[in-house]
Amino acid sequence: MAIGFFKLEQIFSQGDHKWFMTRTVSMFHNFPVMILSLLVLFDKNFIEDKVYYTNYLSILLSTISTSFFFWDLCYLLKQKESEKDLIYTLHGLFGYLLNCYAFHYNKYHYYVAAVLSWEWSTPLLNYSYYLYKKGKTNTIKFKLVSSSLIIVHFMVRIFFPIYLLFWDIFNPEIESMLRILGASLMIFNVYWMYKLLEKVFNILIKKSD
């Protein structure tokens, strides 16, 4: 596995070295979170009590994600001013606050899992970037991965949050803090959906000319 990572890293230029390293760390957060979030979301106990019910899986999920967002936020804040990205920094901050809030008060673990289920789009995003850097944008594989990325991104980061919002917006047990953090993260999803569509279409249109 280590050899595979070493060979993969050689594909990227020095300028993309930081991106590769952060994506590697992200991957070790991504895969366990993908599985744990689904286990929580499909647990009937959480479905019946989305606010107060917790179990060892949701606590593990929150612990892993809180640790990752803390690392991510520290990494972003340590970047040079010219390399800092306000959107990513705010995303890291809101993600960290959401996890800390749920972990500290021992509630809203279902909603934390709902937010972390958005990570199902991340592997496709990373793989599409990998194909892009290898100059594979004119291949069937890139088109399939990009199309899958757009569909999955829309389903887990746009449709699913709107679905939850529709059912739970009038729940009096949901505090304003959760609504604010959730709405803030949702704004990022809409922004990234727009940027994703713009990027993919520009690449495909450029290749077709």
Side-chain angles (χ1 to χ4, degrees), residues 32 48 53 70 72 109 130 141:
E48 293 173 357
Y53 184 76
F70 179 75
D72 187 49
H109 285 207
Y130 163 75
K141 181 185 292 186

Side-chain angles (χ1 to χ4, degrees), residues 132-174:
Y132 171 75
K133 295 303 294 184
K134 285 200 69 177
K136 301 284 188 178
T137 55
N138 60 337
T139 63
I140 296 295
K141 181 185 292 186
F142 178 80
K143 293 177 181 178
L144 287 174
V145 172
S146 298
S147 299
S148 300
L149 171 59
I150 291 172
I151 293 171
V152 173
H153 189 283
F154 175 79
M155 292 301 296
V156 300
R157 291 181 178 260
I158 306 295
F159 175 79
F160 181 49
I162 292 176
Y163 170 81
L164 278 182
L165 181 65
F166 176 80
W167 285 108
D168 297 337
I169 190 171
F170 298 113
N171 187 341
E173 294 183 320
I174 296 179

